[in-house]
Amino acid sequence: MELPRRARGDELLRPGALRDIRLRLRTMAAKHDLSTVIACAFDGRTRMLPFIYADTRMSPAGVRAIGSAMVDAGFKKTRIVLQQWNSRFRPSQMRLDGKMPDIFMVSSMHIHSARCRDLIRDAWRIDPAHRPLMIAGGPKVIYEPWSVFGIDPADPWGVDVAVTGEEYVLLSLLEVLISTRVGNESMRTTFLRARDSGALDGVPGLVYSLGSRDGVAEELVDTGIQRLVGDLDELPDPVLGYQLFEPPSGRATLGSHALPAELVHRCSPVGALVLTLGCKFACPYCPIPAYNQRQYRTKSGERISEEIERLYRQYRILFYFGADDNFFNDQARTLDIAEALARKVDSGSRAHCKIRWGTEATIHDTLKMKDHLSVIRKAGLLGLWLGVEDMSGALISKGQNADETAEAFSLLRENGIFPIPMMMHHDSQPLYTRKDQSGLLNQVNLLRKTGAVAIQVMMLTPSPGSKLYVNTYTSGQAYESINGVPVEPYIVDGNHIVASWAAKPWQKQFNLLLAYLCFYNPLRFLAALVRPKTKIFLADAETDPSATRGQGWSSRRKLRRRISRKFKAHLADAFVQAFRMWALTHTIRRTFVWNLRLMRGKIKRHSQVPASQIPMRSVDGGRASHALPGTPKSQSRSLESKDRARVVA
Ligand code: B12
Ligand code: SF4
């Protein structure tokens, strides 16, 4: 089930609304000395192919965006704690400037839910008089806000409010709270008063609890689907977020200072960067189009170009990954970005000449961009992740058949861009076929031949907020447990078989490993040493005009540099093979026990989609936007403020 769509024409914020609220808050913030800690939940058990490295060495854009919004709005005392770097962090022991922070926020993806819950439960231990206002957000909460409110009276925990939206929703919440705050009272006290007066009901994108029975909320009030910011240039500067990281450590507490700017690129050599959001396709297993209310949102080329310049100057970050869902979605907007970056390269800007980036797109749109790939390469694009899924079209057909994929790959390579296929294995795809190319291994081989240097192979897995989601559970395809061992969120990652009709699901689990083994193995490693796939046009070149770069260099130095670049381009393929073979052993080790369970265990299937056990309602007593089928209906109607006060915890 997808997130409901707002009324046509009302999906986006009024132009300038985000800019205005940022300015308003800056004047208000000066009178409030607030400190905030934002934690990013990360479950170390999810570390495996194809994300080992990117999962910990690319600082996530979500918490950085929220940190940037806080600093931009005037709340400078903000710290971002990544569990990727600080796995022992305990919110109950956090102090900023010697004080318990006023606000504690947590962000999580679905697969990191267990760690998110642990963080909230730990923060819940702080005595209520000093407990910070607790806010949860991020990809998990966007679709399942109810999951951050505890349901066990013997073990009460939960946040005060879940934010099911982006920066604007958080800033609107803060604006209401700051306007309600009396003197130096705690933000939590302010929140409870604002909530009980109904002041939060006009902010779409929140879910908060009301009432308490044995420490469990009586109901959750959902203020509806957020309005999205249409022009991403209105977003706060992402550069601000990089100055807020807690330095990596094995401590439960926080350090006295954030990570110094000169060390940022060592911990996060790759930066996730928002360029565009949204996608025009409507794949039934994907929640992205509905989340974006079928809108496509972009930053301007000029804005991106400035951000890169500043990120390079301040933090020396050379590699970026666009948070795009489909970067080539709209040709005119893609070219606006690419041409602005390429112009900077032509003008000799050191930052733009040096940076390289990767992003995601579809085969269909790549072919449509074929005449512009050279300018896109000049803009710094080095790797393009392509949703190849299954080239036979048995799963989905979005212009990614074998011929079109081969054409797109060769066009990209001719222009110096590495194509990286993302494949999706599913119940009806065989492992190998003799007569055609529909088998998983056939396709993996074909993709390698066509020039792929790396590959991603995942099993089709239910994704909250997608069209197929509810049916995968109600039909019984999704597993609840095997031999009584529940399917925990950390294995709902596409690397584990958790939803399948296959009679022998362990074979599907093996198929994933075999596909990787077929792509990364010692034979291919040796072949890569002799005939590397990384030796393509421009792979050993730089985009900066040599006139500016080599000026004043001796011919010997130029020669040495040229040889070193050629050498690196030659060895890169073998390096990828070696690194990914190592990562594959890790993946085998991590999925081994699950595979044994699939082989021998008794599978219990879901008959209902996991939904809130706490009753939910909208602010006017109707159906809550984020309630899934099976959610108990709230008995109370929209309450008057005096009634609200009565049911307050
Ligand atoms: C880049 C990316 C990755 C990178 C992440 C690297 C990194 N450390 O950043 C890599 C390639 C490693 C990756 C891997 C995976 N990814 Co990924 N990825 C993305 C992608 C394309 C961009 C993420 C991003 O930077 N977005 C931009 C930021 C600004 O948006 P955001 O994180 O949503 O944050 C905003 C709001 O959520 C909110 N917010 C966030 N946190 C908080 C906290 C608070 C307190 C508040 C108030 C608000 C708030 O405000 C933010 C600003 O607008 C997204 C899709 C997308 N376009 O978002 C998928 C996405 C995050 N990935 C997803 C998935 C499923 C995965 C994988 C499990 C693989 C898979 N099966 O597809 C793995 C997991 C690996 C791991 N062990 O963690 C899903 C998550 C779904 C979910 N419900 O959790 C997404 C949303 C794609 C989708 N299918 O919809 N991914
Ligand atoms: S093309 Fe990709 S981003 Fe677009 S709907 Fe399909 S899976 Fe989602």
Side-chain angles (χ1 to χ4, degrees):
M1 200 178 98
E2 298 185 311
L3 288 179
R5 186 165 178 178
R6 290 188 65 89
R8 299 284 154 111
D10 189 30
E11 299 95 342
L12 299 178
L13 291 166
R14 165 184 64 76
L18 180 54
R19 230 171 240 142
D20 293 349
I21 198 171
R22 287 166 52 199
L23 292 176
R24 286 201 302 275
L25 269 169
R26 260 178 240 169
T27 42
M28 295 164 90
K31 298 180 202 119
H32 299 265
D33 180 29
L34 297 181
S35 58
T36 305
V37 169
I38 310 166
C40 179
F42 183 81
D43 193 326
R45 295 172 294 180
T46 62
R47 300 212 62 207
M48 58 187 89
L49 269 178
F51 303 118
I52 288 187
Y53 188 82
D55 53 1
T56 55
R57 307 278 280 164
M58 175 155 111
S59 59
V63 272
R64 272 195 288 104
I66 294 302
S68 301
M70 292 299 287
V71 174
D72 175 88
F75 304 108
K76 306 239 184 288
K77 282 192 201 164
T78 299
R79 185 72 59 84
I80 296 175
V81 189
L82 303 181
Q83 270 197 322
Q84 290 89 326
W85 303 350
N86 300 279
S87 57
R88 301 217 176 109
F89 167 66
R90 295 282 166 273
S92 55
Q93 296 183 41
M94 66 188 166
R95 298 289 180 276
L96 268 188
D97 287 349
K99 271 189 0 180
M100 179 61 76
D102 301 280
I103 306 175
F104 174 62
M105 301 194 202
V106 57
S107 170
S108 182
M109 270 164 62
H110 182 73
I111 61 167
H112 303 303
S113 309
R115 293 292 161 264
C116 174
R117 190 194 51 214
D118 294 347
L119 285 167
I120 300 169
R121 285 173 75 197
D122 189 69
W124 186 264
R125 286 203 201 121
I126 303 166
D127 111 68
H130 299 104
R131 197 179 294 158
L133 169 65
M134 292 207 272
I135 307 175
K140 165 80 180 171
V141 174
I142 282 171
Y143 303 105
E144 299 180 343
W146 37 269
S147 65
V148 286
F149 297 90
I151 49 165
D152 182 0
D155 176 23
W157 63 275
V159 295
D160 296 302
V161 57
V163 170
T164 57
E166 302 176 355
E167 291 90 337
Y168 185 82
V169 180
L170 176 71
L171 295 182
S172 306
L173 166 68
L174 289 177
E175 188 176 35
V176 171
L177 297 185
I178 300 279
S179 334
T180 316
R181 192 169 184 226
V182 179
N184 270 339
E185 71 178 354
S186 80
M187 283 299 278
R188 202 159 167 268
T189 309
T190 311
F191 167 82
L192 295 176
R193 206 177 44 257
R195 177 193 74 175
D196 300 335
S197 68
L200 301 179
D201 295 356
V203 179
L206 302 176
V207 171
Y208 61 80
S209 60
L210 270 186
S212 169
R213 194 171 293 145
D214 302 327
V216 174
E218 277 180 17
E219 61 173 358
L220 298 177
V221 180
D222 186 339
T223 65
I225 298 292
Q226 66 173 331
R227 283 190 192 87
L228 299 160
V229 58
D231 176 3
L232 300 183
D233 282 3
E234 286 190 37
L235 288 173
D237 186 351
V239 177
L240 299 171
Y242 281 94
Q243 69 198 26
L244 307 175
F245 291 131
E246 171 66 16
S249 85
R251 289 194 306 263
T253 53
L254 298 179
S256 53
H257 297 288
L259 186 68
E262 61 277 15
L263 295 183
V264 166
H265 75 280
R266 289 214 194 141
C267 300
S268 175
V270 190
L273 199 60
V274 174
L275 313 177
T276 72
L277 292 171
C279 172
K280 62 181 172 242
F281 289 91
C283 305
Y285 46 79
C286 175
I288 287 167
Y291 168 74
N292 284 288
Q293 302 275 301
R294 319 267 161 206
Q295 307 293 313
Y296 185 59
R297 307 178 284 152
T298 62
K299 277 184 188 158
S300 66
E302 283 307 311
R303 162 74 185 243
I304 293 166
S305 167
E306 284 164 22
E307 285 181 7
I308 287 178
E309 179 100 41
R310 284 199 301 279
L311 286 170
Y312 174 77
R313 287 236 172 103
Q314 291 188 31
Y315 303 107
R316 295 273 168 244
I317 298 179
L318 291 175
F319 299 100
Y320 297 91
F321 190 78
D324 310 289
D325 301 308
N326 178 11
F327 182 61
F328 293 163
N329 194 65
D330 177 313
Q331 204 179 85
R333 296 207 198 184
T334 308
L335 284 177
D336 171 58
I337 297 172
E339 283 168 358
L341 294 176
R343 272 196 303 275
K344 286 281 184 182
V345 171
D346 283 336
S347 71
S349 156
R350 192 167 165 73
H352 297 88
C353 289
K354 292 208 82 162
I355 62 119
R356 296 287 178 271
W357 49 285
T359 190
E360 293 182 22
T362 57
I363 297 283
H364 173 81
D365 291 316
T366 304
L367 290 174
K368 283 187 28 194
M369 293 298 288
K370 66 177 161 197
D371 297 332
H372 308 285
L373 292 176
S374 62
V375 76
I376 290 169
R377 172 62 171 89
K378 188 184 262 187
L381 183 73
L382 189 63
L384 190 62
W385 275 253
L386 292 149
V388 168
E389 331 292 19
D390 169 1
M391 289 187 281
S392 74
L395 175 67
I396 183 98
S397 179
K398 48 177 176 174
Q400 84 300 10
N401 63 38
D403 291 342
E404 286 178 338
T405 303
E407 189 188 346
F409 274 39
S410 96
L411 283 166
L412 287 167
R413 286 176 60 84
E414 276 163 28
N415 284 283
I417 301 168
F418 291 107
I420 297 148
M422 300 187 288
M423 308 198 62
M424 203 174 275
H425 189 37
H426 53 96
D427 275 354
S428 43
Q429 185 177 38
L431 177 65
Y432 182 76
T433 43
R434 280 177 188 279
K435 291 192 180 140
D436 59 21
Q437 294 290 355
S438 59
L440 179 62
L441 295 186
N442 306 60
Q443 297 192 16
V444 167
N445 267 320
L446 194 70
L447 290 166
R448 175 69 187 171
K449 273 196 202 125
T450 341
V453 175
I455 196 166
Q456 167 176 327
V457 189
M458 315 230 93
M459 180 73 185
L460 180 62
T461 300
S463 187
S466 63
K467 263 195 211 108
L468 290 182
Y469 186 66
V470 171
N471 191 256
T472 313
Y473 283 87
T474 49
S475 66
Q477 188 177 2
Y479 304 162
E480 189 176 335
S481 62
I482 302 188
N483 269 358
V485 178
V487 172
E488 288 188 61
Y490 82 94
I491 62 168
V492 186
D493 61 349
N495 277 319
H496 293 80
I497 310 302
V498 295
S500 169
W501 288 118
K504 294 178 178 167
W506 56 268
Q507 286 182 344
K508 290 276 156 199
Q509 187 74 60
F510 267 125
N511 291 357
L512 298 181
L513 297 177
L514 288 172
Y516 279 127
L517 202 59
C518 170
F519 199 89
Y520 304 115
N521 59 58
L523 285 179
R524 287 216 202 270
F525 170 76
L526 292 175
L529 284 173
V530 184
R531 292 186 62 188
K533 300 267 185 210
T534 39
K535 195 118 190 65
I536 62 175
F537 178 64
L538 280 178
D540 56 355
E542 294 195 16
T543 42
D544 57 339
S546 45
T548 52
R549 176 139 197 94
Q551 262 172 16
W553 285 12
S554 67
S555 49
R556 221 171 134 183
R557 187 166 172 198
K558 279 187 188 159
L559 182 69
R560 261 212 319 267
R561 195 176 166 79
R562 208 174 138 69
I563 293 173
S564 133
R565 285 204 307 254
K566 284 206 171 293
F567 195 61
K568 278 190 202 154
H570 189 94
L571 286 186
D573 196 10
F575 175 78
V576 174
Q577 283 286 329
F579 177 73
R580 296 249 167 161
M581 276 191 280
W582 169 80
L584 179 57
T585 57
H586 211 62
T587 309
I588 294 171
R589 185 173 62 79
R590 285 214 188 268
T591 50
F592 182 73
V593 175
W594 186 248
N595 213 352
L596 283 183
R597 287 201 182 113
L598 288 171
M599 268 179 197
R600 302 195 186 148
K602 184 166 163 21
I603 295 173
K604 182 172 175 210
R605 293 172 183 275
H606 275 283
S607 55
Q608 277 186 331
V609 66
S612 173
Q613 295 184 32
I614 307 173
M616 289 182 84
R617 66 166 173 87
S618 68
V619 288
D620 56 10
R623 191 179 173 281
S625 302
H626 294 85
L628 288 170
T631 304
K633 287 216 181 70
S634 183
Q635 295 308 311
S636 64
R637 302 285 301 167
S638 178
L639 301 175
E640 295 302 321
S641 54
K642 61 179 173 25
D643 299 325
R644 288 167 165 275
R646 197 168 40 74
V647 293
V648 167

